[in-house]
Amino acid sequence: MAFPLLLLALLVEITPISAKDKFDYCLPSNSSCWPSQAQWNELKSKISSGKLHDISDDSEYDKVCTASNTDPKAAYTLEDKGEGRCMQYHDCSKEKCDDGAGWNIPEYSVEASEENDIIEAIKFANQHNIQVVVKTTGHNYAGASMGHGALLIWMRHFKKYGEIKKAYEKCSETYDAVLKVGGGQIWEEAYKVVGNDYHVIGGGGLTVSAAGGWLNGGGLSASARIYGMGIDQVVEFEVITADGSKITASKCENDDLFWALRGGGGGSFGVTTSVHYKLHATKPFCEIYFVVSDFFEPTYDTKTLFKWIDLLVDSAPTIDPKWGGYWTLNSGIFYYQGSEAEVKNDDFYKKVEALGNIHLVTFKCAKSYFAVRGGPDNLSTDQTSQDEFNIASRLVPMDFVKNSPDKMKEILKWMIPNGFYTFNYIIGGKMMDVATDATAVHPAMRQSVFQIETFDERLIQKLRDELPESGAGFNHAAKNEPDWENQFWGSNRRTAGDLEKEVGSRKQI
């Protein structure tokens, strides 16, 4: 079934060129096509509560998008400020997320609170050939939700469902329980709805959209090794397409769109207004956070550091799927599904203890992932509001780690004096049970054991040189990734390209 394809991420979010370079959009400088003030006022009259905002004054950004980068609540501050113009990382308010480039802020924002607001905005943009961008809270690292001369659909205040439905039937299947979240809902809100009653596979960042870019980019999670990725939990989407139509996408309705929305990129194929997620039975979780002691000067204990890297590489291919979470060159932040007694009896944990010179920062267990994260009253999330954030990522295939463990160790040990700082996922497990072409995410995501995230050009280039065909993790991809189409989707990009051809000139979003 062909559908009107929305080309935001495919042509803006993840390219080194801007959409206005790719398409001949109408811009404010062109009086022959740009809407008159009367026409903008007419659109405003069709938006609920009249919430159409003129955000074209670039000088206002630094005045209104203010939050200290040392404030743990910065992400919450920025998600609601600036009538949609604020980004969590401020370099992405500029062209190509380059802090030295010109501003890339949309002209107007529609503060959408219901579906008709989205429909009217899209129809208006189609009528006047204006680019549309979509944003919830502004976490995109490549500036996907920005665009000079664009009309922004700001989803943060869109209706939030937060419904748990039991014995939910869809496509001839019955699910014990599903969670319906709205297009503007963030993960903290979704987690609090689920509470300790169920387990939902969600984002680590609590202010990240539960129905937007995180999900459309794949949806990595600390518990993905146990249950699969975020995209593997979706039962159905409700979407507004490029002609302003509201449709449902599932494996039995608009299945091509359902495929594309699961990994094809945030805001790429429609404006998502709701998602139904599978829920899982609650089980106990433990959080284990440790660091190599005395690593920094003057002690500089590289002996224990090297032992940690050796243990990680040797263990990763066979580690119990109950382990998930994050690691760095000198630490681990893991979540283990099980009790305190179970984790302490686990072979990997015993080997970590045996490393010797490590400091156990956190060891706590609770009745659920939500509880061990501090829910409901002591949840915390990552700090944002940095002026610049140069993240990049690389997938590391399981076969490479299995067949060339010494080479993997050599690469990681090389990183220590050549940039050092990384933040990485251990992946695999249940993620690998899904066919590589079942969703739009890069096939390598289903065949990898690590996603390594870097913040220094030397480190990411080393990984590209050593693993040229392994692909990048879309959720944490570099804003200037070379050969980006291949690195983000691999062989699935060709399938997405076929979808693109079906829609001809439909390019507004």
Side-chain angles (χ1 to χ4, degrees), residues 356-408:
N357 193 22
I358 62 167
H359 170 53
L360 190 60
V361 180
T362 302
F363 187 111
K364 58 181 179 179
C365 299
K367 60 184 176 181
S368 69
Y369 174 76
F370 177 66
V372 87
R373 282 284 306 264
D377 299 322
N378 294 298
L379 292 165
S380 61
T381 194
D382 22 355
Q383 296 177 359
T384 63
S385 198
Q386 284 83 15
D387 290 333
E388 193 171 10
F389 195 63
N390 291 314
I391 194 170
S393 67
R394 204 75 184 163
L395 297 168
V396 180
M398 175 73 81
D399 285 346
F400 179 77
V401 175
K402 278 183 176 180
N403 300 330
S404 305
D406 290 342
K407 183 63 177 177
M408 186 71 243

Side-chain angles (χ1 to χ4, degrees), residues 257-268:
L257 177 57
F258 185 61
W259 177 88
L261 286 168
R262 293 175 298 147
S268 309

Side-chain angles (χ1 to χ4, degrees), residues 99-360:
D99 197 43
W103 292 101
N104 197 35
I105 297 172
E107 287 294 299
Y108 286 87
S109 67
V110 169
E111 187 175 336
S113 60
E114 55 188 52
E115 288 155 348
N116 188 63
D117 297 339
I118 301 168
I119 292 169
E120 291 296 340
I122 290 174
K123 287 182 176 179
F124 185 85
N126 282 334
Q127 180 182 352
H128 298 285
N129 191 32
I130 297 172
Q131 180 193 359
V132 173
V133 292
V134 186
K135 179 192 291 183
T136 303
T137 56
H139 275 274
N140 184 269
Y141 303 130
S145 47
M146 301 294 264
H148 172 65
L151 176 59
L152 166 65
I153 297 176
W154 184 29
M155 295 293 289
R156 178 64 188 111
H157 301 292
F158 192 78
K159 58 186 174 182
K160 299 169 178 60
Y161 297 97
E163 303 171 33
I164 294 177
K165 303 177 181 180
K166 297 182 180 180
Y168 188 73
E169 296 184 6
K170 190 70 183 180
C171 302
S172 302
E173 288 190 45
T174 301
Y175 301 89
D176 291 340
V178 300
L179 171 70
K180 182 179 182 181
V181 298
Q185 219 150 345
I186 59 174
W187 272 114
E188 178 172 318
E189 294 164 341
Y191 284 138
K192 285 183 174 180
V193 170
V194 174
N196 295 311
D197 296 331
Y198 296 95
H199 180 82
V200 61
I201 288 72
L206 299 178
T207 59
V208 170
S209 168
W214 174 86
L215 178 62
N216 298 142
L220 276 182
S221 172
S223 58
R225 298 187 75 249
I226 310 169
Y227 299 105
M229 302 175 72
I231 54 176
D232 303 328
Q233 316 306 316
V234 179
V235 176
E236 64 180 291
F237 296 91
E238 289 183 321
V239 183
I240 307 297
T241 60
D243 63 353
S245 298
K246 175 184 173 181
I247 66 172
T248 298
S250 67
K251 65 181 181 182
C252 60
E253 303 167 88
N254 302 301
D255 59 331
D256 48 1
L257 177 57
F258 185 61
W259 177 88
L261 286 168
R262 293 175 298 147
S268 309
F269 302 96
V271 181
T272 301
T273 57
S274 78
V275 180
H276 283 76
Y277 281 102
K278 287 186 283 188
L279 296 178
H280 302 270
T282 299
K283 294 184 179 180
F285 269 82
C286 295
E287 179 183 285
I288 303 99
Y289 171 27
F290 63 88
V291 297
V292 175
S293 301
D294 305 321
F295 164 62
F296 295 102
E297 294 181 324
T299 310
Y300 211 67
D301 178 14
T302 54
K303 181 181 178 181
T304 305
L305 197 69
F306 286 2
K307 286 168 63 180
W308 158 237
I309 289 171
D310 290 346
L311 171 60
L312 177 70
V313 173
D314 290 338
S315 301
T318 58
I319 191 172
D320 194 313
K322 291 182 177 181
W323 288 96
Y326 322 102
W327 58 274
T328 74
L329 297 177
N330 71 320
S331 69
I333 310 171
F334 291 107
Y335 292 91
Y336 179 88
Q337 187 195 72
S339 67
E340 179 176 347
E342 288 174 313
V343 72
K344 287 185 174 180
N345 195 45
D346 182 271
D347 185 57
F348 178 67
Y349 180 77
K350 290 178 180 179
K351 290 178 179 179
V352 169
E353 279 192 312
L355 290 173
N357 193 22
I358 62 167
H359 170 53
L360 190 60

Side-chain angles (χ1 to χ4, degrees), residues 423-443:
F423 188 82
N424 318 303
Y425 283 78
I426 182 166
I427 55 179
K430 192 75 171 179
M431 293 170 57
M432 303 181 81
D433 292 347
V434 179
T436 56
D437 61 353
T439 61
V441 75
H442 196 305

